[in-house]
Amino acid sequence: MNCEVCELKELVVEQFEVREVLRCILHTIIFHRALGLVRPRDINCELFELTYVQCGVPEVEKEIEEKITEFISKVSKHPNRTSQICLSFYETKDKQSAWFSSKTERVYWERWFINLQIINQRVHMKPNQTKIGFDPGENSFSLEEKKLRRTALEASIRENLFQIIKFVNEKMDHLPHIPPNVEGISYPYEIAILSSSESSLDMLKRMLQTGHQTTLS
Amino acid sequence: MASSQNSETPATEQVITEIFAKSLHIILESRSPYVSSRNYSLDQIPPSPSSSGGSPSTRSSGSRDKWFNLALRECPAALENSDFWRQSNLEPLVIEILLVDRASGTEKLLERWVVQYETRKQPGTGRKSKRTYRGATLLFRSLYLLVRLLPAYSLFREMNSSGRIRSLGLSHRIQPFVNPLTRSEEAEMTHLCLTPIETPFGRLKHSVSYLPVLDDISIGSEPSTPMSTELIPDYVGSPTTDPLKRFQTLPLGGSAPICVQPGRRHSWSTDRLGSPNLSPCSLPTQSDPQRPSIPLRLSEVQKGKRPVGCYPSSLSSSQKANLFRCESAPVGRDSDPLSNPCFKQGMDSDRNQLVRFRELPSGVSLPKEISIGGDAIRYLDVAKLSLASGSWICDSNVQLLDLGEDSDASYPFAPDVNRTKNYEGERSQGAIVGELLRMLKAAPKLQIGFEKSDGLDLKPNPAHSGSRTAADALQELRVYMHMRDSILSQSESHPSEPKPEKGANTKESNSEKEMKERNRP
């Protein structure tokens, strides 16, 4: 079976935005693949002028929150990196081995890669932070920059959502058969956290921008 | 519904019919602001003759909801427009979302959704209705999200959340034909097509043309009118009108509040009793989440009771000012507020408590609403206003003057008889409030136990005193003075004891004389 892959456009986010962004994208994908009976829930983002849709299954919501928490804890240890979350849909098939044992294997038929670049918040100084030679003018500039960055991120998220719509509309032949009278999730899925190490060029770039000594834990 | 020319099976026809209905439902659910359709019932929808499987409208909304595994809540706008507008599945479903300017009556096309069934001359892929159903299931997931991603959804959300009637509104138009777009519309709109749903003998296409940018059509900053209210141009304190002008009664479904907009954000104008910075009430907009919604407060008005009162035409600004103060404004005691009969006995120490006013003198007309600036627009809901009886109850979260406060504390609304007319012939807001207070003092029955008197003098009424008041204090002073006198008399009989100073004695006797004068009927 073909495994369709969709690589979503990279999003540059700050740490506090990670949860909201991942909620938006993960729920949107799962909503499109929860082909059982669902009662959709509209969720208005707190950080962005966006509304996304959840499939309304509590177990899904719980699992997504746990995965996001796990992701955040991983990326907080290694900031300023590009990290990936992979949402995969699979089928389980019994693989009959030559001998009397049999085992089930997962056959993935669709994978979604969500790419996030987490930027360090310390780049943008806050008024209550003390720093030698702190320039108040720098803070006002960072506020403007933050606003622009937030607007750009919102547009990127919207673009991601349109990308999801386009993908699910174009490719549907690979979808497995939906069992009848199923409610909520129709296909099993898994969420995996993949983080890529920072490239040396990225590290050098960041050091020149922030002037901070980087420590990797 | 007549069968298509290419003889789709009845099952497929039914699926196609439901696809149209579901599309209408999803689109209108997120574009039609919640209007009152209270009288709507399913029985009012005539059964469509074109439906082969029985009219969907005659089925329960519950079964329709679950079509394509997407259970949706009821949408009155969609149900009202279902079925009877189209004769067959061959006619397109065109839904136009319009931005309507109620003032000028102009319309602007924001979106046009087109759902169209196209037949094929020859059978295509031979998909069965099950595949059609699954294709529709997938499409509606995307459609449901898509309607929420487009710019018009923000307008819809804003209108729904505020619940106000604005000059701009969203409307929709449904028609079974596609009007060509004008050149300008064609140029400024973006077009999207979803993947068609294949049927055995045709396919269903969903497309949308929409305005990608609505920045110039922002309704957030426009002055909005509360639901069921109207703006009153001649508000209290308007420089062009007599501030003592009497205002007409606001009907419950009627006028907008008269707002006394302070100059400063958190207090009344610093120009105490001067010309207040009164302006037409800039009503809270959705963009300011801290401001409470005035229509919500108006809806709290009990039935049969008048809405928030206005300043009476004959009150001085100082009298009015004495009634309320902002949280941030200092409050002091003055002879007028002390005598204010409107304050509830035993005022709460918590300044944010709701308080009640009682027993106004008859003939007093009060403003229907007073908006006091601050972090939020505070206003008065008049739970009961009867001009004839002269009583009114006003709930407000503004602070009230504390009768027990230090008289030396200054506050912006202290009644100042000398300043009732700050300018030549011009009456300031403070003057109006002061005059109100004077009238209130003349009230025959005072809740806090002050009896009516001709002048500004007060007579305590111990019978009504339920908590500590000035009358109680005076009484206590009398007791202490009596005790002092008895002690003095005892000391005279015992010359060894030191005598009190003459000056203190003089002061105390003076205060007692004053009290006696006050108690004199």
Side-chain angles (χ1 to χ4, degrees), chain A residues 28 31-40 42 44 50-51 53 158 161-162 165 168-170 172-173 175-178 187, chain B residues 65-66 69-73 127 131 134-135 137-142 144-146 148-150 153-154 157 192 194-195 210:
Chain A
T28 298
F31 174 67
H32 279 87
R33 290 293 178 245
L35 300 180
L37 177 64
V38 296
R39 291 198 176 269
D42 297 351
N44 301 317
L50 276 176
T51 299
V53 186
R158 207 178 286 270
L161 298 181
F162 273 107
I165 290 175
V168 298
N169 268 266
E170 285 177 354
M172 49 182 82
D173 291 337
L175 292 176
H177 170 69
I178 306 170
Y187 306 117
Chain B
D65 266 349
K66 296 178 184 175
N69 285 344
L70 192 65
L72 301 177
R73 57 185 176 275
R127 290 177 185 256
R131 300 276 292 183
R134 193 175 91 153
T137 302
L138 289 163
L139 179 133
F140 284 126
R141 295 286 194 271
S142 299
Y144 192 89
L145 177 67
L146 181 62
R148 282 152 180 79
L149 288 181
L150 298 186
Y153 185 69
S154 304
R157 262 184 66 192
L192 271 180
L194 294 176
T195 303
Y210 65 96

Side-chain angles (χ1 to χ4, degrees), chain A residues 30-133:
Chain A
I30 289 180
F31 174 67
H32 279 87
R33 290 293 178 245
L35 300 180
L37 177 64
V38 296
R39 291 198 176 269
R41 280 180 60 206
D42 297 351
I43 307 294
N44 301 317
C45 290
E46 292 174 3
L47 301 177
F48 312 103
E49 285 291 321
L50 276 176
T51 299
Y52 65 95
V53 186
Q54 292 184 1
C55 62
V57 178
E59 292 78 20
V60 170
E61 193 175 340
K62 186 184 169 189
E63 187 175 347
I64 287 178
E65 288 301 310
E66 286 171 1
K67 283 294 176 182
I68 292 175
T69 304
E70 187 185 331
F71 177 82
I72 290 173
S73 65
K74 279 190 179 178
V75 299
S76 60
K77 293 174 189 173
H78 305 286
N80 294 318
R81 284 186 175 182
T82 298
S83 300
Q84 261 189 348
I85 281 191
C86 180
L87 171 57
S88 309
F89 295 93
Y90 61 88
E91 274 185 303
T92 51
K93 284 188 176 176
D94 293 329
K95 187 177 180 182
Q96 196 72 31
S97 64
W99 298 95
F100 48 81
S101 63
S102 66
K103 55 181 180 180
T104 58
E105 67 169 349
R106 290 182 176 182
V107 178
Y108 296 94
W109 49 269
E110 193 172 87
R111 287 184 191 264
W112 298 80
F113 291 97
I114 304 163
N115 301 294
L116 298 180
Q117 185 186 358
I118 322 290
I119 58 175
N120 194 347
Q121 272 182 301
R122 285 178 297 173
V123 172
H124 305 283
M125 292 296 298
K126 292 182 181 178
N128 56 356
Q129 289 180 351
T130 55
K131 180 184 173 188
I132 296 173

